[in-house]
Amino acid sequence: MLVDQAAKVLNLSSEMKEKLGTPNRILAFEVPVKMDDGTEKKFAGWRVQHNNALGPYKGGIRFHQDSNLDEVKALASLMTWKTSLMGIPYGGAKGAVAVDPRSLSSRELEYLSRGYVRAVADFIGPDKDIPAPDVGTNGQIMEWMTDEYSKIMGSPMPAAFTGKPIEKGGSQGREEATGFGGYVVLREFLNRRPLAGDIKDITVAIQGFGNVGQNIAVFLSQHGMKIIAVSDSKGGMCEPDGIEIPQLIDTKEKTGMIDRNKCYPLSSRANLCHDCTNASLLTLQTDILIPAALENQITDENAGEVKAKVILEMANGPVTPEADAILIPKGVTIIPDILANGGGVVGSYFEWIQSKANDYWEKEKVLAAIEEKMVNAFRAVAEAKETHHISWREAVYARALDRVAQAMK
Ligand code: NAD
């Protein structure tokens, strides 16, 4: 739908639109795993390579019981738009296995990860297609996959995968990359459209307190904004004067929960806070709302109640199209996911560069390089928005499609 709108803005031919919508290659296979009880199980797996006009394919591998080919196709095309928008020399791909990784032992998971690589080995590689972690996969799985691919190729191939553990060729700053990129985008947006005279008066509510939610909370609070509410799958807390973020991260690490009494055990500060649910966080009186947990959180059912002036989509797809149609006429600005959370893939790109060059960069260098890419992407989108008089969401797609279409031409 958005692709259609962007193609119209750009005046693309129907032939080009058709090409942009069609994946270049679809690999579908089964990965056999010898289970701990001696039986053999087969798991359905896919790798979809959507478009490589701008460079090698890039995209994560998801291990999830509900994964299916249609989802992998949609996510692969999203990667094409995201890498294009970020101005990095990659195309888009995605992979998946239909499995609940929590149901496997560590040995079974390793067997499955290595088997996946054997199934796609002819089609991936540092200059062909570079996978990374996604939902249900992690640095350990990338390490097994890199090792398997290196064995097949007969020499070390660290640049064939990103998202590796730091001690195995991963990059400093990758952990913070997505949250940091979101902070840079928001800073650029506020420079253009200040919401308050003083940054200290800007209030923020964040749904989700995992990698992305915690990191963006750290950067925003370090730069003076007030994080007035945070929630995760188990609950949340509000503090109108601003939550002490390092203390809350420490509490969540120790207790696994966001708990105001455990966050401020020795002070009366806990009494100034109150608990809040995920649902109530989304409709709080706040300047900025950051969904950083799951997709489809702001829908036609709660969009009418949203009071934030700006929504920064750090999760993938947290605002549905129906909610967009309610929020935009109300004057709410939505900074779309493929721009807001693009710092993750940019961080992966710098890991790839280091792996190819057998080099290690300091964290400051990685973050400075990410910052430059995010600022450039933001400015290009802002320009497209002004030129075509379109929404931020239409502008990110127009910008992303334009680069891919030009390269294909
Ligand atoms: P994570 O697993 O580290 O954290 C997810 C957080 O969401 C956890 O705090 C969890 O408790 C919370 N959560 C789960 N269900 C919830 C619910 N019903 N209500 C409120 N909170 C809930 O994941 P992450 O890496 O932080 O990713 C968060 C989002 O950002 C996802 O949509 C992901 O696709 C997207 N994203 C992540 C990256 C990255 O580099 N990690 C990059 C791009 C996009």
Side-chain angles (χ1 to χ4, degrees), residues 321-390:
E322 295 77 19
D324 255 18
I326 297 169
L327 292 164
I328 292 171
K330 277 207 323 180
V332 180
T333 301
I334 303 164
I335 307 180
D337 48 7
I338 64 170
L339 175 61
N341 69 30
V345 74
V346 175
S348 289
Y349 166 59
F350 291 118
E351 178 182 337
W352 177 72
I353 290 184
Q354 292 169 74
S355 294
K356 280 187 125 208
N358 260 326
D359 195 5
Y360 293 112
W361 296 1
E362 299 296 329
K363 188 189 281 187
E364 290 68 32
K365 180 172 171 176
V366 177
L367 294 184
I370 294 173
E371 181 169 11
E372 191 182 342
K373 290 282 179 203
M374 301 306 294
V375 169
N376 289 343
F378 177 84
R379 291 187 183 161
V381 171
E383 198 183 303
K385 177 174 161 50
E386 275 159 29
T387 309
H388 299 292
H389 306 288
I390 49 183

Side-chain angles (χ1 to χ4, degrees), residues 174 178 207-212 232-233 252 278 292-294 314-316 341:
R174 175 62 189 88
T178 308
Q207 184 200 42
F209 206 54
N211 171 288
V212 175
D232 72 4
S233 57
K252 177 146 178 178
N278 270 301
L294 305 169
M314 292 305 294
N316 284 317
N341 69 30

Side-chain angles (χ1 to χ4, degrees), residues 384-404:
K385 177 174 161 50
E386 275 159 29
T387 309
H388 299 292
H389 306 288
I390 49 183
S391 70
W392 286 96
R393 204 181 294 285
E394 287 163 330
V396 296
Y397 277 87
R399 170 71 185 158
L401 257 76
D402 194 25
R403 288 191 72 231
V404 180

Side-chain angles (χ1 to χ4, degrees), residues 74-101:
L75 293 170
S77 65
L78 208 65
M79 283 306 296
T80 301
W81 313 135
K82 196 181 283 193
T83 55
S84 166
L85 183 67
M86 289 299 129
I88 52 181
Y90 285 146
K94 202 81 178 188
V97 175
V99 61
D100 177 358

